[in-house]
Amino acid sequence: MWHAFPHLLLMDTTYNTNMYKWPFVQYIGVTSTSKSFCITHAVLLRERHKDFTWALERLKGMLEDYIEPRVIVTDRDSALMIACKQVFPNATRNLCRWHIRENIKKKWKGIYDSEVWDYIHDSWLVRDKEKFVSCWMADRLNFGETTTNRVKSQHANLKRHFNGANNTLHTLAAYALVVIEAQKVQISVTFEHSRIKLKKDHNLQVFYRLHYKVSTKALTLLEKEYGKVEKMTKSGHSCRHQLRKSMGLPCACELEQHLNTSVHIPLKSIDPFWRKLDFDLVVA
């Protein structure tokens, strides 16, 4: 599945999964129809830079001649972040907002006093604001993924199959395979829906060339952006091209141009991520 959808890579670590007490890392991908899938799993001896690097290099080796991840989302584990930069240097690397909120909550005592604000500023904003703050994230490719919550959901899904925390590596792999096979079936259904069904709100003339050729999720994002065109025109505000930059989809000013010229949005203006509605391989 990752050969078809290598664009996004989300990862997080969970514990109490195996008899050796080793950290268990899940690597999760996302389809054009906004469905999560397990790429692979790794059991690490420790959460060190060399351990993460080893796992990511094995992951990269799975791609061979296929395109590499374009967007990576992690927590701010420094060893993991360095490993991601080393193994996938060309990817846009973003931070999980959920983990950041949890870290801030630990400092919060009921009010946002100077200690909390100093922590937010010094620990997060100075170094990494562009990786998680909305106004900066809107200018970075992210395909709408700003947390690793999908990974946590996959943790929970997988653990429902586990026999407590005493699993062997063999049983972990067997359980993971069951989950992956089920996901493939479920995802195939969403592809079929995008190829044969059209929602009423998406039946706009300007979207004509996109019908049944891009995911329903992409059309929903475009329909929402379409609603901004009239407001933008009346207010005189300019478009910041955020949908184009963050999602790879035509933004309000592009849609306005198509409307003014009565030209349908061309399929080539849609990022390849959203145009993929099958499991065929994507070669670099």
Side-chain angles (χ1 to χ4, degrees), residues 13-29:
T13 306
T14 190
Y15 308 92
N16 301 319
T17 64
N18 60 85
M19 62 193 301
Y20 309 103
K21 311 302 180 186
W22 291 341
F24 183 79
V25 186
Q26 278 192 288
Y27 300 92
I28 303 301

Side-chain angles (χ1 to χ4, degrees), residues 83-149:
C84 288
K85 184 177 182 179
Q86 179 180 327
V87 179
F88 296 114
N90 297 321
T92 298
R93 295 176 296 278
N94 299 325
L95 291 175
C96 172
R97 290 177 176 175
W98 183 87
H99 280 96
I100 294 170
R101 285 195 295 267
E102 291 303 300
N103 277 278
I104 293 173
K105 284 180 182 178
K106 293 176 183 178
K107 294 285 183 179
W108 189 57
K109 301 181 179 67
I111 58 171
Y112 284 106
D113 56 16
S114 59
E115 180 182 353
V116 176
W117 284 118
D118 288 345
Y119 170 74
I120 294 173
H121 179 270
D122 298 341
S123 299
W124 296 101
L125 295 180
V126 172
R127 288 174 47 191
D128 297 308
K129 59 182 181 294
E130 75 282 355
K131 294 183 176 69
F132 71 94
V133 178
S134 294
C135 61
W136 280 281
M137 283 285 286
D139 292 330
R140 291 165 64 90
L141 191 64
N142 58 64
F143 294 118
E145 300 303 322
T146 59
T147 74
T148 58
N149 289 348

Side-chain angles (χ1 to χ4, degrees), residues 26 28 36 38 150-158 179 183:
Q26 278 192 288
I28 303 301
S36 308
C38 296
R150 287 181 182 271
V151 192
K152 294 187 178 301
S153 177
Q154 292 297 322
H155 288 338
N157 186 27
L158 193 57
V179 171
Q183 288 175 341

